[in-house]
Amino acid sequence: MGVAILQFLGTNCEYDMEYAFSLLGVKSQIIWHQERALPKHTKLVVIPGGFSYGDYLRSGAIARFSPIMHSVIDFANNGGYVLGVCNGFQILLESGLLPGAMKHNENLHFISKNVDLEIVDTHNIFLKNFCTKAIINIPIAHAEGNYYIHKEGLEQLKENGQILLKYTQNINGSLENIAGICNKNKNVFGLMPHPERAVEEVLGGTAGLKMLEGFLEIL
């Protein structure tokens, strides 16, 4: 099984993500968070959006300690590809697989709408099908999407080409409009927008499907 999609208490985008990969001809498997090992032939782990553990404490703070995350951390540290979307991004930050932290949106409201994003860096498998500075439109739906990192960390993100996506308008207070990043080794990706909700023209466009298509070379 190439794609393992994690499911926590409160996850609500796992089936959307499964459907998105099916449009690419990829069969995925949904993995319950109490499992202690990823499927043997996993090539990509996806941590989808939702409200793991009801977003108690901080978004992703409890899910980070679920049994399956031990395997995900080992998988990522050994070069395996991991994608975290929205709550999945928050879980990756809490688990230390990505740098920085999330705060409540600047206006303290849940924001759900389509937004324009600028492609910042394409030297990675996730965004290789895009051109730098291209503008795409993808939905967001979050209350804690205000990305923050200290000054030294921000400089490292810039130097290493780890900033992947920026909002064209700062809708949540994120530092320098950051909407998505990756780790230094460029095998762990996190973004607040939902690519799995932008996979058909009837939904407003297929930019999200084009993102996921980048992973086909490893699947």
Side-chain angles (χ1 to χ4, degrees):
M1 193 64 62
V3 180
I5 301 172
L6 305 193
Q7 182 185 54
F8 298 87
L9 292 164
T11 300
N12 63 16
C13 295
E14 65 271 49
Y15 297 108
D16 294 21
M17 189 64 73
E18 183 181 45
Y19 175 72
F21 276 104
S22 75
L23 294 178
L24 297 174
V26 175
K27 189 175 181 181
S28 53
Q29 182 175 350
I30 294 175
I31 307 299
W32 183 237
H33 70 111
Q34 290 293 330
E35 295 292 334
R36 296 187 177 273
L38 294 167
K40 185 177 180 181
H41 300 295
T42 299
K43 301 296 183 183
L44 171 66
V45 173
V46 179
I47 311 179
F51 305 90
S52 60
Y53 289 92
D55 282 348
Y56 287 109
L57 298 182
R58 297 180 307 276
S59 297
I62 301 177
R64 175 264 179 272
F65 293 102
S66 287
I68 195 61
M69 287 305 298
H70 296 290
S71 291
V72 173
I73 291 170
D74 288 342
F75 178 77
N77 288 338
N78 285 307
Y81 286 92
V82 180
L83 171 66
V85 175
C86 200
N87 187 225
F89 185 9
Q90 295 161 342
I91 293 171
L92 291 177
L93 293 170
E94 290 287 342
S95 66
L97 287 175
L98 288 175
M102 285 294 174
K103 301 188 292 182
H104 285 284
N105 294 343
E106 197 169 51
N107 63 7
L108 301 182
H109 292 293
F110 186 91
I111 303 173
S112 179
K113 63 180 182 178
N114 281 36
V115 298
D116 285 336
L117 304 169
E118 178 186 349
I119 304 293
V120 179
D121 193 288
T122 61
H123 295 94
N124 57 80
I125 193 172
F126 185 46
L127 298 179
K128 67 174 189 174
N129 292 330
F130 294 88
C131 296
T132 304
K133 297 186 177 181
I135 303 299
I136 61 175
N137 189 267
I138 290 184
I140 59 168
H142 59 251
E144 294 180 39
N146 182 352
Y147 180 77
Y148 176 79
I149 193 169
H150 54 73
K151 183 178 179 180
E152 294 80 5
L154 178 62
E155 291 307 312
Q156 289 176 6
L157 290 181
K158 292 178 178 179
E159 290 174 9
N160 299 325
Q162 292 175 247
I163 299 174
L164 303 182
L165 297 162
K166 287 189 176 186
Y167 303 105
T168 58
Q169 293 184 326
N170 197 322
I171 48 85
N172 56 20
S174 286
L175 185 67
E176 297 205 6
N177 293 16
I178 292 174
I181 64 171
C182 66
N183 65 341
K184 188 174 181 179
N185 292 329
K186 299 193 175 183
N187 65 300
V188 180
F189 306 90
L191 72 161
M192 289 309 296
H194 285 267
E196 78 283 1
R197 298 183 185 179
V199 297
E200 293 180 311
E201 292 296 342
V202 70
L203 298 176
T206 59
L209 193 66
K210 192 174 179 180
M211 287 179 172
L212 300 179
E213 195 173 18
F215 290 113
L216 288 181
E217 71 174 70
I218 64 164
L219 300 175

